[in-house]
Amino acid sequence: MDFELVRAAHAEPLLRQLHPSSSHQNLHFSRCTGDWSWDVPFVMHLPGGRYLVVGPSRSQIVGEADTAEEAIALVVGGLPPGCGPAIVGRREELDRLDTVPPNQILGDDERRSHALDQTD
């Protein structure tokens, strides 16, 4: 794994709240933990230590970068609107939440409180 790339991603608060994964030296991010949301750009390696940011699909090229920091900036620039913390759950739950107006989505503390209310 490219530790420089991991450090650059970790330094970015917007990416730190997503679910990361690496495969075949690619660095992926998901907005859910149960499977992959496949709506966030990811980083691939190019020869010579350069990076290619693509996504969400492999056919969508976001751009090339000379440094890990530049690659991560391209990922952040391609985040979906309203991208927030990864949810615990599958893509279906994420799809359901994406149809709710942002001002009606419960935050983590509100979700915990709501869940406790439901068990009383």
Side-chain angles (χ1 to χ4, degrees):
M1 185 73 237
D2 181 339
F3 292 112
E4 184 178 334
L5 185 62
V6 171
R7 279 192 280 279
H10 185 265
E12 175 50 59
L14 291 172
L15 296 183
R16 220 175 20 243
Q17 65 184 348
L18 298 177
H19 181 63
S21 175
S22 65
S23 175
H24 300 92
Q25 296 186 345
N26 298 335
L27 183 59
H28 295 264
F29 303 91
S30 179
R31 297 190 309 133
C32 55
T33 62
D35 55 9
W36 294 103
S37 60
W38 293 113
D39 59 352
V40 176
F42 61 97
V43 183
M44 300 172 67
H45 284 81
L46 291 173
R50 299 187 72 235
Y51 302 93
L52 177 66
V53 177
V54 298
S57 76
R58 290 185 182 273
S59 63
Q60 295 173 283
I61 296 175
V62 176
E64 294 185 17
D66 292 323
T67 67
E69 291 79 14
E70 290 171 356
I72 293 304
L74 289 171
V75 171
V76 170
L79 290 175
C83 184
I87 65 158
V88 176
R90 300 184 62 80
R91 187 174 36 234
E92 294 81 14
E93 178 66 13
L94 183 62
D95 292 342
R96 187 188 68 73
L97 288 173
D98 283 346
T99 63
V100 176
N103 64 341
Q104 293 181 12
I105 296 175
L106 300 177
D108 287 341
D109 292 336
E110 295 167 309
R111 275 185 244 157
R112 279 190 213 96
S113 175
H114 181 71
L116 291 174
D117 291 345
Q118 299 302 311
T119 60
D120 292 342

